[in-house]
Amino acid sequence: MAQRSVFTRAVLTRARVAALVAIGLTALGLGYLSLPDGTGPTVPDGARAGDLTMTGCTYDTEAGSLDAECGTLVVPENRRDPGSDLIALPVIRIRATGAEPAEPIFRLEGGPGETNMRFAEASRLVDRHDVVLVGYRGVDGSTVLDCPEVESALRRSADLTGEESTRRYAEAFATCARRLAGAGIDLDGYSLPQRVDDLEAARQALGYQRIHLLSESAGTRTAMIYAWRYPDSIRRSVMIAVNPPGHFWWDPAITDDQLDHYAALCARDDGCAARTDDLAATMAVTAGDPPDRWLFLPIKAGNVRAGTLFGLFHTTGAAAPLNAPTMFDAWLAAAGGDPSGLWATSLLTSVIFPGAFVWGEFAASGIIDAGAVDAHYAAGGDPGSVLGNAATDFLWGGGRLTGAWPASPDYVDYRRVRPTEVETLLVGGTVDFSTPPRLATDELLPALPNGRQVILAELGHTTDFWSYQPDASTRLLTAYLENGAVDDSRYRTRPVDFDIESVSLPTIARILFGTLAGLGLAAVVLLGGMARRVRRRGRLGTRASGWLRCLAPVVVGLGGWSVAVLIGSGRWPGLFVGGRWLVVLSVGIAAGLATFVAWVHRDASRGTRWAGLAAALAGSLLGGWFGFHAVEDVAALATTIVGATATANLALLLIDLRRDVVVR
C-alpha cells in the first residue's frame, strides 16, 4: 500500500492534477455551450388554443429595465385544419408608466425572417401606453423554420448572385421545405394572415378592446393585413418604411432614380463634388467593369452590388460603417484605383448575409409576393441598371425561390392593396432604398380614406428614423397615436453628409488584411522561436513549457486560421472564412503543432517524439471539432481554439502518464 501511494504521488503530480482539472472543466464548459438553448416557449400540457399565461418580469430598453409581464400564448399551427397541432408564442407586455394609459401599442418588426421580441425604443412610448410584443410564428415560437441547408449553400457561394449559387440556394430551400414537412410541420400555417390571427388572439387574451399598431418595413405588411381582417380591433396604425403588396423585391429603375437623387446631393457637397462630376455615372462606369481583385484577394461582383444596396438603406451614422456615405466612398475610391473598400464589402456580405435571417420564415412570408417576382423576371429582370438585379437575385435565387417554397393558401386574398377605414400614418424617408416612399404614396395611400403621410427629407430606412432626432420621432408617434395629429414640427432637415463619420471601408479592408497578416506572422515567429529554442537547449523550461502549452496554441491557432483565410480565399473564392473544415483544420493543425513544440524534449526517443506529434495533432483536431460545434457564428473560432488547446494537452498528458507508468 505504501509503494502504491508513493507511485501515485510521483505520477500524478500537482501540476498534472491541476491540468486534468482544467481540461475537464473546459470540456464541461464546451459541453454546456453545445446544449440546446431550452429557453424558447413550449406548449403546456393540457393547453388549448387561446390560452395565455403571464408572469412578472423586466424588459431591457435603451432607458434601462422596465416592469413587464412575460408569458406564452398557445395558438393552432394551422387554423385551416380543425385537427391542427398547437404551437406556443412568447408574449411580452411592457406596462405603461403613467397613471391613465391609453390604448396599447402592438409593435411589428420587419424582416421577413427576424424576431419581433426586440424593441429597445419601447421606453419612448410607455408614458401613456402598454407596449406589447407578440412573437412571430416560425421565428420566435416553439417551432422555428430554421433552414441550415440555405445557410450552407450561401456560405459555399463563389458569388451570391452567380448562376450556380442561385440554383443551389433555391434547391436548399426546396430541401428545407421537404425536411420540415417530413418532420410534421404544417408549412401552410406559417403565413402573414395567421400571424395576424395570433396578434388578434393576444389582443383578446390580454383584454384590450382596441389597440394601436406600430410597424416597420416588412412588418407594415402584417399591419395592412391586420387592418383588412380586423379593422374594428385597431384604433390607429403607424407604418414606418412602408412595404406595399408586391414589393418584397427591388425595382432597379427606382434604385437608379434614387442614385440620381444622391448624385444631385453629391454635386452640392464640396467634398463629394471634388471626387466626381456625377456620382451615379461614376458608379455605373465602375459597375460596368468592376475590379476582380484587391492585391491577391478576390472581389465578388454580385456580393458587392447586393451588399451596396443593403448599405444604401440608411444614411445616418447610426448604421455605420454599412451606410450610404461609406458605400459611396468605397465606390469612388475604386473609381480612383483603390478597390479595397469593395473587397471589404464583398467579404462582409459573405460573412453577414448567410446568417441574416431565419430563412424558412423569410420564405414563408416573402412568398406572398411570388406573383410579382415572377412577373419581374418574365419581363426580363434588370433593364441595365447601375447595381443590376443583385439584391433581388440574391434573396429570390434569381427567381427560382418562387417554385422552391410552397405558398400558403392564406395568401390568395392579400396580394393586392385593399381599402380600409383604419386611421393610418405612413412615414418614409426620401433616401430609403429599401422601401421608397413613392410606393406608399402611389399605391397604398389612395386606399386609405383616413390615411396621412409624412416624408422625412434625406433620411433612409428604419434605423435612421429611430436614431435621428429621437425627440422629433417620439413626438410624431405619440401625437398621432394619442389624438390623430400629425406633428413633425420638431424635425430639422438633415442634409446628407458624404463625410465618413466612423471608419471607411478601405480602412476596414486594411485593418482586416493587416490583422490577418499580422496574426499569421506572429504565429510563424512564435512557433519558429519555440522550435529554435528546443533545438538549441533540448527543451523549454518547465515553467515556460507549461505557460506556452496554454497560450501558444491560441496565438498560433489564430495565426493558422488567418493564413488559411488569406491563402484559401485568394485561391478558392467560394471558401467561407468561418467554414467548419477551414476553421477546424487550420486551427487544429496550428494549435497541435504549437502544443507539441512546447512539450517535446529533443533527447526523447524518436518513437516518443512521433507519438507526441501524432497525439497532439489528433487531439487538437478532435477538440477543435468539438469546440467548433459548441456555439455558432463568430464565437465558434474561439471555442475551436479552446477545444483544440485542451484536447492536445490532454493527449500529451496521457503520453506523459503512460511513459512514467512504464518507467516505474
Side-chain angles (χ1 to χ4, degrees), residues 277-585:
D277 294 331
D278 186 326
L279 176 62
T282 299
M283 290 182 65
V285 170
T286 303
D289 185 20
D292 60 356
R293 289 188 179 272
W294 172 57
L295 303 175
F296 59 90
L297 301 169
I299 298 174
K300 306 174 184 180
N303 288 29
V304 171
R305 290 190 177 96
T308 295
L309 182 61
F310 278 84
L312 293 177
F313 286 0
H314 299 99
T315 189
T316 62
L322 298 179
N323 63 2
T326 57
M327 287 298 163
F328 290 132
D329 173 74
W331 279 82
L332 291 174
D338 177 11
S340 59
L342 299 188
W343 173 77
T345 303
S346 174
L347 176 65
L348 293 173
T349 300
S350 297
V351 173
I352 295 171
F353 279 16
F357 305 107
V358 176
W359 287 107
E361 202 284 327
F362 164 84
S365 294
I367 206 72
I368 190 174
D369 282 352
V373 172
D374 285 341
H376 167 64
Y377 282 100
D382 176 48
S385 62
V386 174
L387 295 178
N389 213 41
T392 300
D393 284 344
F394 158 56
L395 288 181
W396 286 94
R400 294 181 175 92
L401 178 55
T402 62
W405 193 271
S408 171
D410 298 335
Y411 286 140
V412 172
D413 296 327
Y414 302 105
R415 291 190 169 116
R416 291 179 176 84
V417 170
R418 297 167 54 171
T420 177
E421 300 286 334
V422 172
E423 294 182 50
T424 305
L425 176 63
L426 312 178
V427 182
T430 59
V431 291
D432 183 352
F433 278 65
S434 179
T435 53
R438 72 195 234 187
L439 298 177
T441 304
D442 296 341
E443 301 177 20
L444 185 59
L445 192 59
L448 301 173
N450 297 311
R452 307 282 296 277
Q453 186 176 29
V454 171
I455 299 178
L456 302 172
E458 319 311 2
L459 288 183
H461 202 50
T462 54
T463 298
D464 287 357
F465 174 83
W466 291 109
S467 64
Y468 180 69
Q469 296 182 357
D471 60 324
S473 58
T474 301
R475 178 58 182 167
L476 177 65
L477 295 176
T478 56
Y480 185 76
L481 293 176
E482 290 170 12
N483 55 47
V486 177
D487 184 359
D488 60 354
S489 61
R490 297 189 183 181
Y491 278 102
R492 300 182 303 277
T493 300
R494 176 192 179 277
V496 170
D497 187 358
F498 288 88
D499 292 332
I500 307 301
E501 296 182 15
S502 57
V503 60
S504 70
L505 286 169
T507 300
I508 290 174
R510 287 166 172 76
I511 291 173
L512 289 173
F513 180 79
T515 300
L516 292 173
L519 286 170
L521 179 61
V524 171
V525 170
L526 178 58
L527 193 59
M530 291 165 57
R532 183 169 179 267
R533 189 175 182 88
V534 169
R535 284 197 306 269
R536 293 180 61 184
R537 299 192 178 184
R539 65 172 303 169
L540 299 174
T542 302
R543 181 172 296 181
S545 175
W547 280 107
L548 286 172
R549 284 173 65 173
C550 297
L551 301 178
V554 175
V555 176
V556 177
L558 277 174
W561 171 77
S562 301
V563 171
V565 167
L566 290 174
I567 296 175
S569 62
R571 186 169 179 81
W572 299 287
L575 190 68
F576 180 59
V577 299
R580 174 177 54 197
W581 291 109
L582 174 70
V583 173
V584 172
L585 288 175

